[in-house]
Every structure is written in structure tokens, then in C-alpha cells.
């Protein structure tokens, strides 16, 4: 296979098994490195974890993946949950019972995939 875009969605089981976040991040970085070695110029997209339930471990890992993408050529971070995370955080901080409706993560993903085609 020689896809132009590699969509990476790994590590979710490791997070739920309470594995070390440094290890999970290092594993994702190794996957990115290997793909870049085998398929130079391929676009790599790191899919964020759903941290919409105020899971600060997942939010931290999403931030680290975003930093990896920002510092690596041909790598993007995709976080369809960002608005949901922000809404939950705002609700946690203000203790408000009202929340805003966030966009559908699936629709956002479809739009993003189309942008690479």
C-alpha cells in the first residue's frame, strides 16, 4: 500500500489501561518516524483521544500529540473533540449547568479527510 495520507488512531487501549503517558507518546512518535522512513512525503494525521469527559490525562496527551504535529513536517493533529473539551472545561470552572452544543466530531472528521484528497 502507498497511501498519501496515514490516519493514526492508536493508544486508546493503553490510556484506558492506565499506561504511562510518556510511553504512549513515545510509541506514537516512533510510529510517525517509521512511516516517514518508509513513505517519505506522506501526510500523517494524529487523531486525538476523546477527552470530553474532563479526563485531564487524555487532554494532556492530546496536547502532546498536537506539539508533535507542530514540530514535525507533514504531520497534523486532528482533534474533533476540541470544542467539546473546551465546553466541559468551561462548565467545570464555572459550575454552570448550561452548556453549548458542539459540532459533530464525525462531520468534522469527514470534512478534514476531504481536505487531504
Amino acid at each position: 500500500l502507498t497511501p498519501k495520507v496515514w490516519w493514526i488512531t492508536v493508544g486508546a487501549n493503553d490510556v484506558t489501561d492506565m499506561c504511562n503517558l510518556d510511553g504512549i507518546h513515545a510509541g506514537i512518535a516512533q510510529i510517525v518516524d517509521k512511516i516517514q522512513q518508509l513513505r517519505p512525503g506522506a501526510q500523517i494525521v494524529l487523531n486525538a483521544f476523546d477527552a470530553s469527559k474532563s479526563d485531564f490525562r487524555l487532554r494532556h496527551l492530546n496536547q502532546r500529540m498536537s506539539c508533535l504535529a507542530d514540530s514535525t513536517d507533514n504531520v497534523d493533529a486532528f482533534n474533533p473533540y476540541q470544542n467539546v473539551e473546551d465546553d466541559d472545561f468551561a462548565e467545570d470552572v464555572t459550575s454552570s449547568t448550561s452548556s453549548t452544543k458542539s459540532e459533530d466530531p464525525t462531520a468534522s472528521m469527514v470534512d478534514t479527510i476531504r481536505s487531504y484528497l
Side-chain angles (χ1 to χ4, degrees), residues 49-106:
F49 299 96
D50 182 0
S52 61
K53 301 300 181 207
S54 300
D55 187 330
F56 292 104
R57 293 181 77 237
L58 291 176
R59 288 181 186 190
H60 180 70
L61 188 56
N62 286 345
Q63 289 172 344
R64 291 183 70 180
M65 288 194 315
S66 181
C67 289
L68 174 64
D70 289 345
S71 64
T72 309
D73 290 338
N74 296 329
V75 178
D76 290 320
F78 176 71
N79 188 349
Y81 312 105
Q82 184 64 48
N83 292 337
V84 175
E85 290 174 19
D86 292 344
D87 291 348
D88 285 350
F89 181 72
E91 186 171 316
D92 290 345
V93 171
T94 62
S95 299
S96 169
T97 57
S98 66
S99 65
T100 58
K101 182 133 178 119
S102 298
E103 71 181 71
D104 176 20
T106 304

Coordinates of all heavy atoms in Angstrom, one line a residue, residues 49-106:
F49 N -7.6 11.8 21.2 CA -8.5 10.9 22.0 C -9.7 11.8 22.5 O -9.6 13.0 22.7 CB -7.7 10.4 23.3 CG -6.5 9.6 22.9 CD1 -5.3 10.1 22.8 CD2 -6.7 8.2 22.6 CE1 -4.2 9.4 22.5 CE2 -5.6 7.5 22.3 CZ -4.3 8.0 22.2
D50 N -10.8 11.1 22.7 CA -12.0 11.8 23.2 C -11.8 12.1 24.7 O -11.9 11.2 25.6 CB -13.2 10.9 23.0 CG -14.5 11.6 23.4 OD1 -14.4 12.8 23.9 OD2 -15.6 11.0 23.3
A51 N -11.5 13.3 25.0 CA -11.3 13.8 26.3 C -12.4 14.7 26.8 O -12.2 15.5 27.7 CB -9.9 14.5 26.5
S52 N -13.6 14.4 26.3 CA -14.7 15.3 26.6 C -15.3 15.1 28.0 O -16.2 15.8 28.4 CB -15.8 15.1 25.5 OG -16.3 13.8 25.5
K53 N -14.9 14.1 28.6 CA -15.4 13.8 30.0 C -14.5 14.3 31.1 O -14.3 13.7 32.1 CB -15.7 12.3 30.1 CG -16.6 11.7 29.1 CD -18.0 12.4 29.2 CE -18.9 11.8 28.2 NZ -20.0 12.7 27.8
S54 N -13.8 15.4 30.8 CA -12.9 16.0 31.8 C -11.8 15.1 32.2 O -11.3 15.1 33.3 CB -13.7 16.5 33.0 OG -14.7 17.4 32.7
D55 N -11.3 14.3 31.3 CA -10.2 13.4 31.5 C -8.9 14.2 31.2 O -8.5 14.3 30.1 CB -10.3 12.1 30.7 CG -9.2 11.1 31.0 OD1 -8.1 11.5 31.5 OD2 -9.5 9.9 30.9
F56 N -8.3 14.7 32.3 CA -7.1 15.6 32.1 C -5.9 14.8 31.5 O -5.1 15.4 30.9 CB -6.8 16.3 33.4 CG -7.8 17.3 33.8 CD1 -8.7 17.0 34.8 CD2 -7.9 18.5 33.1 CE1 -9.7 18.0 35.1 CE2 -8.9 19.4 33.4 CZ -9.8 19.1 34.4
R57 N -5.8 13.5 31.8 CA -4.8 12.7 31.2 C -4.9 12.7 29.7 O -3.9 12.8 29.0 CB -4.8 11.2 31.7 CG -4.5 11.1 33.1 CD -4.5 9.6 33.6 NE -3.3 8.9 33.1 CZ -3.3 7.9 32.3 NH1 -4.4 7.3 31.9 NH2 -2.1 7.3 31.9
L58 N -6.1 12.5 29.2 CA -6.3 12.5 27.7 C -6.1 13.9 27.1 O -5.5 14.0 26.0 CB -7.7 12.0 27.4 CG -8.0 10.5 27.7 CD1 -9.4 10.1 27.4 CD2 -7.0 9.6 26.9
R59 N -6.5 14.9 27.8 CA -6.3 16.2 27.3 C -4.8 16.5 27.2 O -4.3 17.1 26.3 CB -7.0 17.3 28.2 CG -8.5 17.3 28.1 CD -9.1 18.3 29.0 NE -10.5 18.2 29.0 CZ -11.3 19.0 29.5 NH1 -10.9 20.1 30.1 NH2 -12.6 18.9 29.5
H60 N -4.0 16.1 28.2 CA -2.6 16.3 28.2 C -2.0 15.5 27.0 O -1.1 16.1 26.3 CB -2.0 15.8 29.5 CG -0.5 16.0 29.6 ND1 0.1 17.2 29.7 CD2 0.5 15.1 29.6 CE1 1.4 17.0 29.7 NE2 1.7 15.7 29.7
L61 N -2.4 14.3 26.8 CA -1.9 13.5 25.7 C -2.2 14.2 24.4 O -1.4 14.2 23.4 CB -2.4 12.1 25.8 CG -1.7 11.1 24.8 CD1 -0.2 11.1 24.9 CD2 -2.3 9.7 25.0
N62 N -3.4 14.7 24.2 CA -3.8 15.4 23.0 C -3.0 16.6 22.8 O -2.6 16.9 21.6 CB -5.3 15.8 23.1 CG -6.3 14.6 22.9 OD1 -5.9 13.6 22.5 ND2 -7.5 14.9 23.3
Q63 N -2.6 17.3 23.8 CA -1.8 18.5 23.7 C -0.4 18.0 23.2 O 0.3 18.7 22.4 CB -1.7 19.2 25.0 CG -2.9 20.0 25.4 CD -2.9 20.6 26.8 OE1 -2.1 20.2 27.6 NE2 -3.8 21.5 27.0
R64 N 0.1 17.0 23.8 CA 1.5 16.5 23.4 C 1.5 16.0 21.9 O 2.4 16.3 21.2 CB 1.9 15.3 24.3 CG 2.2 15.9 25.7 CD 2.7 14.8 26.6 NE 4.0 14.4 26.2 CZ 4.7 13.4 26.9 NH1 4.2 12.8 27.9 NH2 5.9 13.1 26.5
M65 N 0.4 15.4 21.5 CA 0.3 15.0 20.1 C 0.3 16.2 19.2 O 0.9 16.2 18.1 CB -0.9 14.0 19.8 CG -0.7 12.7 20.4 SD -1.8 11.4 19.9 CE -3.4 12.2 19.9
S66 N -0.4 17.2 19.6 CA -0.5 18.5 18.8 C 0.9 19.1 18.7 O 1.3 19.6 17.7 CB -1.5 19.4 19.5 OG -1.6 20.6 18.8
C67 N 1.6 19.1 19.8 CA 3.0 19.6 19.8 C 3.9 18.8 18.9 O 4.7 19.3 18.1 CB 3.6 19.6 21.2 SG 2.9 20.8 22.3
L68 N 3.7 17.5 18.9 CA 4.5 16.6 18.0 C 4.2 17.0 16.5 O 5.1 17.1 15.7 CB 4.2 15.1 18.2 CG 4.8 14.1 17.3 CD1 6.3 14.1 17.3 CD2 4.2 12.7 17.6
A69 N 2.9 17.2 16.2 CA 2.5 17.5 14.9 C 3.1 18.9 14.5 O 3.5 19.1 13.3 CB 1.0 17.5 14.8
D70 N 3.0 19.8 15.4 CA 3.5 21.2 15.1 C 5.0 21.2 14.8 O 5.5 22.1 14.1 CB 3.2 22.1 16.3 CG 1.7 22.5 16.4 OD1 1.0 22.2 15.4 OD2 1.4 23.0 17.5
S71 N 5.7 20.3 15.4 CA 7.2 20.3 15.3 C 7.7 19.3 14.2 O 8.9 19.1 14.1 CB 7.8 20.0 16.6 OG 7.5 18.7 17.0
T72 N 6.8 18.6 13.5 CA 7.2 17.6 12.5 C 6.6 17.9 11.2 O 5.4 18.1 11.1 CB 6.8 16.2 13.0 OG1 7.2 16.0 14.4 CG2 7.3 15.1 12.2
D73 N 7.4 17.9 10.1 CA 6.9 18.1 8.8 C 5.9 17.0 8.4 O 6.1 15.8 8.7 CB 8.1 18.1 7.8 CG 9.0 19.3 7.9 OD1 8.5 20.3 8.5 OD2 10.1 19.2 7.5
N74 N 4.9 17.4 7.6 CA 3.9 16.5 7.1 C 3.1 15.8 8.1 O 2.6 14.7 7.9 CB 4.5 15.5 6.1 CG 5.1 16.2 4.9 OD1 4.6 17.2 4.4 ND2 6.1 15.7 4.3
V75 N 3.0 16.3 9.3 CA 2.2 15.7 10.4 C 1.2 16.8 10.9 O 1.6 17.9 11.2 CB 3.1 15.2 11.6 CG1 2.2 14.6 12.7 CG2 4.1 14.2 11.0
D76 N 0.0 16.3 11.0 CA -1.1 17.2 11.5 C -1.7 16.5 12.7 O -1.8 15.2 12.8 CB -2.2 17.5 10.5 CG -1.7 18.4 9.4 OD1 -1.0 19.3 9.7 OD2 -2.1 18.1 8.2
A77 N -2.3 17.3 13.6 CA -3.1 16.7 14.7 C -4.6 17.0 14.4 O -4.9 18.2 14.0 CB -2.7 17.3 16.0
F78 N -5.4 16.1 14.6 CA -6.8 16.3 14.3 C -7.6 16.0 15.6 O -7.5 14.9 16.2 CB -7.4 15.3 13.3 CG -8.8 15.4 13.1 CD1 -9.4 16.5 12.5 CD2 -9.7 14.3 13.5 CE1 -10.8 16.6 12.3 CE2 -11.0 14.4 13.3 CZ -11.6 15.5 12.7
N79 N -8.2 17.0 16.1 CA -9.0 16.9 17.4 C -10.4 17.4 17.2 O -10.7 18.5 17.4 CB -8.3 17.7 18.5 CG -8.9 17.4 19.9 OD1 -10.0 16.8 20.0 ND2 -8.3 17.9 20.9
P80 N -11.3 16.5 16.8 CA -12.7 16.8 16.6 C -13.4 17.1 17.9 O -14.5 17.6 17.9 CB -13.3 15.6 15.9 CG -12.5 14.5 16.4 CD -11.1 15.0 16.6
Y81 N -12.8 16.8 19.0 CA -13.4 16.9 20.3 C -13.0 18.3 21.0 O -13.4 18.5 22.1 CB -12.9 15.8 21.2 CG -13.1 14.4 20.6 CD1 -11.9 13.8 20.1 CD2 -14.3 13.9 20.4 CE1 -12.1 12.5 19.5 CE2 -14.4 12.6 19.8 CZ -13.3 12.0 19.4 OH -13.4 10.7 18.8
Q82 N -12.2 19.1 20.3 CA -11.7 20.3 21.0 C -12.8 21.2 21.5 O -12.7 21.6 22.7 CB -10.8 21.1 20.0 CG -10.1 22.3 20.6 CD -9.2 21.9 21.7 OE1 -8.3 21.1 21.5 NE2 -9.2 22.6 22.9
N83 N -13.8 21.4 20.7 CA -14.9 22.2 21.2 C -15.6 21.6 22.4 O -16.0 22.3 23.3 CB -15.9 22.5 20.1 CG -15.3 23.4 19.0 OD1 -14.4 24.2 19.3 ND2 -15.8 23.3 17.8
V84 N -15.8 20.3 22.4 CA -16.4 19.6 23.5 C -15.6 19.7 24.7 O -16.1 20.0 25.8 CB -16.7 18.1 23.1 CG1 -17.2 17.4 24.3 CG2 -17.6 18.0 21.9
E85 N -14.2 19.5 24.6 CA -13.3 19.7 25.7 C -13.4 21.1 26.3 O -13.5 21.2 27.5 CB -11.9 19.4 25.3 CG -11.6 17.9 24.9 CD -10.3 17.7 24.4 OE1 -9.4 18.5 24.6 OE2 -10.0 16.6 23.8
D86 N -13.4 22.1 25.4 CA -13.5 23.4 25.9 C -14.8 23.7 26.6 O -14.8 24.4 27.7 CB -13.3 24.4 24.7 CG -11.9 24.4 24.1 OD1 -11.0 23.8 24.8 OD2 -11.8 24.9 23.0
D87 N -15.9 23.2 26.1 CA -17.2 23.4 26.7 C -17.2 22.7 28.1 O -17.7 23.3 29.1 CB -18.3 22.7 25.9 CG -18.6 23.5 24.6 OD1 -18.1 24.6 24.4 OD2 -19.3 22.9 23.7
D88 N -16.7 21.5 28.2 CA -16.7 20.8 29.5 C -15.8 21.5 30.5 O -16.1 21.7 31.7 CB -16.1 19.4 29.3 CG -17.2 18.4 28.7 OD1 -18.3 18.9 28.6 OD2 -16.8 17.3 28.4
F89 N -14.6 22.0 30.0 CA -13.7 22.7 30.9 C -14.4 24.0 31.4 O -14.4 24.3 32.6 CB -12.4 23.1 30.2 CG -11.4 23.8 31.0 CD1 -10.8 23.1 32.0 CD2 -11.2 25.2 30.8 CE1 -9.9 23.8 32.9 CE2 -10.3 25.8 31.7 CZ -9.6 25.1 32.7
A90 N -15.1 24.7 30.5 CA -15.7 26.0 30.9 C -16.8 25.6 31.9 O -17.0 26.3 32.9 CB -16.3 26.7 29.7
E91 N -17.5 24.5 31.7 CA -18.6 24.1 32.6 C -18.0 23.7 34.0 O -18.5 24.1 35.0 CB -19.4 23.0 32.1 CG -20.6 22.6 32.9 CD -21.5 21.6 32.2 OE1 -21.7 21.7 31.0 OE2 -21.9 20.6 32.9
D92 N -16.9 23.0 34.0 CA -16.2 22.6 35.2 C -15.8 23.8 36.0 O -15.9 23.9 37.2 CB -15.0 21.8 34.9 CG -15.3 20.4 34.4 OD1 -16.5 20.0 34.5 OD2 -14.4 19.7 33.9
V93 N -15.2 24.8 35.3 CA -14.7 26.0 36.0 C -15.8 26.9 36.6 O -15.7 27.4 37.7 CB -13.8 26.8 35.0 CG1 -13.4 28.1 35.6 CG2 -12.6 26.0 34.7
T94 N -16.9 27.0 35.8 CA -17.9 28.0 36.2 C -19.0 27.3 37.0 O -19.9 27.9 37.6 CB -18.6 28.7 35.0 OG1 -19.2 27.6 34.2 CG2 -17.6 29.5 34.2
S95 N -19.0 25.9 37.1 CA -20.1 25.1 37.7 C -21.4 25.5 37.2 O -22.4 25.4 37.9 CB -20.0 25.4 39.2 OG -18.8 25.0 39.8
S96 N -21.5 25.8 35.9 CA -22.8 26.1 35.3 C -23.4 24.8 34.8 O -22.8 23.9 34.4 CB -22.5 27.0 34.1 OG -23.6 27.1 33.3
T97 N -24.7 24.8 34.8 CA -25.5 23.7 34.3 C -25.8 23.8 32.9 O -26.2 22.9 32.2 CB -26.8 23.5 35.1 OG1 -27.6 24.7 35.0 CG2 -26.5 23.2 36.6
S98 N -25.6 24.9 32.3 CA -25.8 25.1 30.9 C -24.6 24.8 30.1 O -23.5 25.0 30.5 CB -26.3 26.5 30.6 OG -25.3 27.4 30.8
S99 N -24.7 24.3 28.9 CA -23.6 24.1 28.0 C -24.0 24.4 26.6 O -25.2 24.4 26.2 CB -23.1 22.7 28.1 OG -24.1 21.8 27.7
T100 N -23.0 24.7 25.8 CA -23.3 25.0 24.4 C -23.1 23.7 23.6 O -22.4 22.8 24.0 CB -22.3 26.0 23.8 OG1 -21.0 25.5 24.0 CG2 -22.4 27.3 24.5
K101 N -23.9 23.6 22.5 CA -23.8 22.4 21.7 C -22.6 22.5 20.8 O -22.4 23.5 20.0 CB -25.1 22.3 20.8 CG -25.1 21.1 20.0 CD -26.5 20.4 20.1 CE -26.5 19.3 19.2 NZ -26.7 18.1 19.9
S102 N -21.7 21.5 20.8 CA -20.5 21.5 20.0 C -20.8 20.8 18.6 O -21.8 20.0 18.5 CB -19.4 20.8 20.7 OG -19.1 21.5 21.9
E103 N -19.9 21.0 17.7 CA -20.1 20.4 16.4 C -20.0 18.9 16.5 O -19.3 18.3 17.4 CB -19.2 21.0 15.4 CG -17.7 20.6 15.6 CD -16.8 21.2 14.6 OE1 -16.6 22.4 14.7 OE2 -16.3 20.4 13.8
D104 N -20.5 18.1 15.5 CA -20.4 16.7 15.5 C -19.0 16.3 15.1 O -18.6 16.6 14.0 CB -21.5 16.2 14.5 CG -21.4 14.7 14.2 OD1 -20.9 14.0 15.1 OD2 -21.9 14.3 13.2
P105 N -18.3 15.5 15.9 CA -16.9 15.1 15.6 C -16.8 14.3 14.3 O -15.9 14.5 13.6 CB -16.5 14.3 16.8 CG -17.4 14.7 17.9 CD -18.7 15.1 17.3
T106 N -17.9 13.5 14.0 CA -17.8 12.7 12.8 C -17.9 13.6 11.6 O -17.1 13.4 10.6 CB -19.0 11.7 12.8 OG1 -18.9 10.9 14.0 CG2 -18.9 10.8 11.6

